[in-house]
Amino acid sequence: MFRHALRRGATNRNFSPWAAPILLQFRARAWPTYKAGFHELGRDAPHRNVESHSNSNSASHSSRRSHSDYILNNGTIYALSSGAGRAGIAVIRVSGAGSLDVYRSLCPSKPPPKPRYAGVRTLTDPGDASGASILDSDALVLYFPGPKTVTGEDVLELHVHGGHATVKAVLSAIPRCMLPRAKIRYAEPGEFTKRAFLNGRLDLAQVESLGETLAAETEQQRRAAVRGTSGILGKAYEGWRQQLLLARAEIEALIDFSEDQHFDESPTELLTNVSRLVDGILGSIRLYRLGSQRSELLRNGIRIALLGPPNVGKSSLMNQIVGREASIVSAEAGTTRDIVEANLDIRGYLCSFADTAGIRTTSVVAASSSSSSSSSSSDAVGGAKASSPPAAAISAIEEEGIRRARNKARDSDVIIVLASVELASDGTPWINYDAETLRLAAGAQQFIVAVNKSDVVDRDVLRNLLRDFAASVRMDQEGGRLSSSSFQDGGLVPPAAAAAEPPLLAISCRAAAADAKGLTDPGGIQALAEKLAQSFAALTSVPSDMQHLLGVTERQNQLLVVCQRHLEDFVTEAARRRSCETSDEHAVSAEPDVVLAAEHLRLAANCLASITGRGHAGDVEEVLGVIFEK
């Protein structure tokens, strides 16, 4: 019966509720002396070592006792829940068994308000028996009886006037309240949330999301943070853990009682059924890790690098995008030698822009494609006939700046490749660009090609230049990411059929700086910002029914990596044993190493327990302080 339950459970992700009674029935019939049950189902997995099993149960019970002892010994807590400083309203929260006693001390003349209903009260000094010493008049008071509260305990909220003196007077009066049942003290950082966790109101995944919500500075950070507060992540982790516990119980039952009881399945068949279950969990873990990678871009910011040859307007574009003079702008080529970075919010996305040194090999750009030097990495398009300027040697400082620019490009999520429209000595226009920057951009997840100084020629000439530029560039031919059909020019050239291909935009930093009246987007900088936002969305988007994956934090991702490794080790062990039995006809009777397989499942389940804080995991207590203080 036990084997059939696991076989069905391998294809049914929600088999745990009906599997529990089967486990009980199996234990009662087969092993009258069976001491253990299953953890989190009211029973713990069987162990061959009875002493170690008792230690495990003792640790679990000790953990629960320590939680209860913590709450009893630390009594009632209070703190200012709203922000510090002068405001119209300040919220003071009290949590614990003495919440009503605090109310009776501050408002002795009136009964407590109806639970979960607001009441207007006058707060008086608890040390003044006459009630003449008023702390605040017309305060709003709410009482929430536990356990269905934010902390799982009785909660009292005092909404007082937000002046500094009023808040200070009320906070000073609360510890003087007479609490016959418990002591009262000011709450430690994050202690309200910690009590919510200890009382089962939140799991660690929800606590982390709450911290991310409070720390969010952009709209996309806020959206990512609230995805994890629903509890969907915690339920998924706990569901995986319970499935692994049931599977591990199957294997350990075989270890403990294979000599005394008859089993319908061989160890190999059992491991095969468990492997199907583990494969399903591994697929889900890989999906959650992908969600973590995308959410990290939203939390930590999307890295953007500006690349191009010297004097094409990278610093000017940087200043236009960030809205201030972050980089030095000069007509002299090679002004920027080091990396200049600035953070800003674009359409709700946190971004980190990096202005880099102009990339060149030996000389400033040649004026035409026909006369450009083969020793230079820069190119020209447009058919100008002017001769190349004298070659200028690259100094050690400039060479270091170019090296840093290349490294920054490799570390960036989005690259903006900048070219520029130039005029030869005879007035012939051409486009100055750098072939190496295009190759570097091909390695980024997203990139955009922008042609600056578009205002130096009229619209028709610019159209022809861009068409020639798109036709002349050949980059990443194998993937086909960049070709003449890949470019758009913000309306000058018809949009490409493939919207996912990198666009070509015509911009003018000088026109944007002049801010010509009557133009909604002088210089095309807003169009560039919109293209960037589209690239950000492509980097961070997830299906609508999987938005909760954006709530996966880096801590959860690291534990999922370890859990995935243990599960993969289990699958490898089971597969290696099966292949050994099938490849050698003399090894058919060989038994798989079920002890090692069970250990892999135990370690994987412990990783999941560390994520949610539920179940027995030795390092949960160590991470609580770090998480709650946020």
Side-chain angles (χ1 to χ4, degrees), residues 568-580:
E568 289 174 345
D569 289 343
F570 170 87
V571 173
T572 301
E573 175 65 24
R576 183 178 64 84
R577 288 291 178 175
R578 293 199 304 270
S579 62
C580 178

Side-chain angles (χ1 to χ4, degrees), residues 45-76:
H47 290 265
R48 290 173 294 160
N49 189 326
V50 177
E51 181 180 356
S52 64
H53 172 66
S54 300
N55 292 338
S56 177
N57 279 338
S58 299
S60 180
H61 293 313
S62 175
S63 177
R64 284 192 289 269
R65 285 197 304 271
S66 65
H67 291 172
S68 301
D69 293 343
Y70 165 82
I71 295 175
L72 290 175
N73 295 335
N74 286 274
T76 302

Side-chain angles (χ1 to χ4, degrees), residues 319-584:
N319 294 341
Q320 286 298 319
I321 291 178
V322 303
R324 60 183 176 87
E325 293 186 2
S327 297
I328 298 175
V329 177
S330 172
E332 180 182 350
T335 304
T336 304
R337 298 296 178 90
D338 205 349
I339 306 295
V340 179
E341 297 187 81
N343 296 332
L344 73 155
D345 182 341
I346 294 182
R347 307 293 194 271
Y349 294 91
L350 177 62
C351 307
S352 175
F353 269 88
D355 181 17
T356 64
I359 295 179
R360 68 187 183 98
T361 303
T362 58
S363 65
V364 181
V365 179
S368 71
S369 58
S370 59
S371 61
S372 59
S373 172
S374 60
S375 63
S376 173
S377 67
S378 299
D379 298 273
V381 174
K385 300 300 182 182
S387 59
S388 302
I394 297 179
S395 65
I397 296 178
E398 185 180 0
E399 186 174 356
E400 174 63 19
I402 293 174
R403 186 191 66 82
R404 295 187 182 188
R406 291 169 178 150
N407 290 339
K408 175 60 69 173
R410 296 185 184 100
D411 293 338
S412 297
D413 304 304
V414 179
I415 291 180
I416 301 177
V417 176
L418 201 62
S420 66
V421 178
E422 305 291 346
L423 295 178
S425 57
D426 60 356
T428 303
W430 53 279
I431 292 182
N432 174 21
Y433 72 100
D434 185 273
E436 183 183 359
T437 59
L438 292 169
R439 290 191 292 271
L440 289 169
Q445 299 181 63
Q446 296 283 326
F447 73 96
I448 297 172
V449 180
V451 178
N452 189 26
K453 306 180 185 179
S454 61
D455 57 331
V456 302
V457 295
D458 59 36
R459 188 181 182 89
D460 292 335
V461 174
L462 179 62
R463 187 197 309 273
N464 294 331
L465 282 174
L466 294 175
R467 183 177 292 111
D468 293 342
F469 178 44
S472 66
V473 174
R474 292 294 179 265
M475 176 180 167
D476 199 5
Q477 293 296 323
E478 293 182 359
R481 292 186 60 191
L482 193 60
S483 63
S484 58
S485 63
S486 301
F487 294 108
Q488 304 170 25
D489 65 352
L492 293 176
V493 176
E501 295 291 348
L504 172 65
L505 298 174
I507 64 172
S508 173
C509 295
R510 182 169 60 182
D515 195 13
K517 295 182 179 180
L519 296 178
T520 57
D521 183 18
I525 303 301
Q526 293 302 317
L528 176 59
E530 188 62 35
K531 289 296 182 183
L532 285 172
Q534 293 176 11
S535 298
F536 302 158
L539 287 173
T540 60
S541 63
V542 296
S544 58
D545 59 339
M546 297 181 182
Q547 291 293 312
H548 59 278
L549 298 183
L550 293 177
V552 181
T553 64
E554 179 59 25
R555 184 189 74 91
Q556 297 171 28
N557 181 60
Q558 291 177 2
L559 288 169
L560 287 176
V561 170
V562 180
C563 179
Q564 178 180 342
R565 184 166 62 247
H566 290 311
L567 293 180
E568 289 174 345
D569 289 343
F570 170 87
V571 173
T572 301
E573 175 65 24
R576 183 178 64 84
R577 288 291 178 175
R578 293 199 304 270
S579 62
C580 178
E581 292 182 0
T582 57
S583 61
D584 188 351

Side-chain angles (χ1 to χ4, degrees), residues 111-163:
K114 184 178 178 180
R116 292 179 170 78
Y117 282 80
V120 179
R121 298 289 189 270
T122 296
L123 306 183
T124 60
D125 193 325
D128 186 358
S130 64
S133 180
I134 297 177
L135 299 174
D136 189 25
S137 59
D138 298 330
L140 199 66
V141 178
L142 296 99
Y143 171 65
F144 305 91
K148 294 184 178 181
T149 64
V150 65
T151 62
E153 307 170 331
D154 292 350
V155 172
L156 177 70
E157 285 191 358
L158 307 174
H159 296 229
V160 302
H161 292 92

Side-chain angles (χ1 to χ4, degrees), residues 78-81 91-93 135 158 164-176 186:
Y78 72 98
L80 177 66
S81 292
V91 179
I92 299 174
R93 176 176 290 170
L135 299 174
L158 307 174
H164 177 73
T166 301
V167 173
K168 183 179 180 181
V170 177
L171 289 175
S172 301
I174 290 178
R176 300 199 303 271
Y186 200 85

Side-chain angles (χ1 to χ4, degrees), residues 1-9 15 18-27 30-31 34 38 46 245-254 257 263-265 270 273:
M1 181 182 296
F2 224 30
R3 301 302 177 277
H4 299 309
L6 182 61
R7 185 180 292 112
R8 289 193 297 269
F15 75 101
W18 59 259
I22 294 178
L23 300 177
L24 286 173
Q25 184 180 11
F26 182 79
R27 183 186 69 168
W31 302 307
Y34 200 53
F38 292 87
L245 288 174
L246 291 173
R248 176 183 159 208
E250 280 276 277
I251 297 174
E252 296 205 13
L254 180 65
F257 302 100
F263 292 92
D264 297 333
E265 295 173 330
L270 175 60
N273 292 332

